[in-house]
Amino acid sequence: MPVGTPTDPALKAEILDKVKNHGLPVSQASKQYGIRANVIYAWMSHESGNSSASLMVELSRTKRELDNAYRIIRELDTSDPASYKK
């Protein structure tokens, strides 16, 4: 997206929803939508204050880590227990 071009409010809301509520990393949202990561962080900051924005980023990161942990547990749960090293 060209610099200085206003973003459609519906698109902005969609991006913020995916980042804040669905765990989409800001870096991935930036690539997916063609909007710089610092712009997305600024939106988050302006929307709910600086401290809230950092909490939302932390929540998003924690959700990704939890999803990754669940994936690892599923993989371990389905692998051969005889192959575990003691």
Side-chain angles (χ1 to χ4, degrees), residues 9-81:
L11 178 62
K12 178 179 174 181
E14 177 183 333
I15 294 168
L16 290 175
D17 177 61
K18 287 186 177 183
V19 169
K20 293 188 304 185
N21 301 320
H22 300 283
L24 181 67
V26 171
S27 60
Q28 188 176 343
S30 173
K31 292 175 188 170
Q32 182 177 340
Y33 291 97
I35 296 174
R36 295 175 58 147
N38 64 325
V39 171
I40 298 172
Y41 283 116
W43 290 344
M44 293 170 63
S45 176
H46 290 136
E47 183 176 86
S48 48
N50 289 332
S51 61
S52 295
S54 64
L55 289 174
M56 286 185 277
V57 170
E58 179 67 17
L59 177 60
S60 179
R61 183 189 62 79
T62 304
K63 284 181 180 179
R64 285 192 312 276
E65 288 178 358
L66 185 58
D67 288 341
N68 189 42
Y70 284 141
R71 181 188 54 79
I72 291 169
I73 290 169
R74 279 193 306 275
E75 289 173 4
L76 289 174
D77 197 33
T78 59
S79 62
D80 181 17

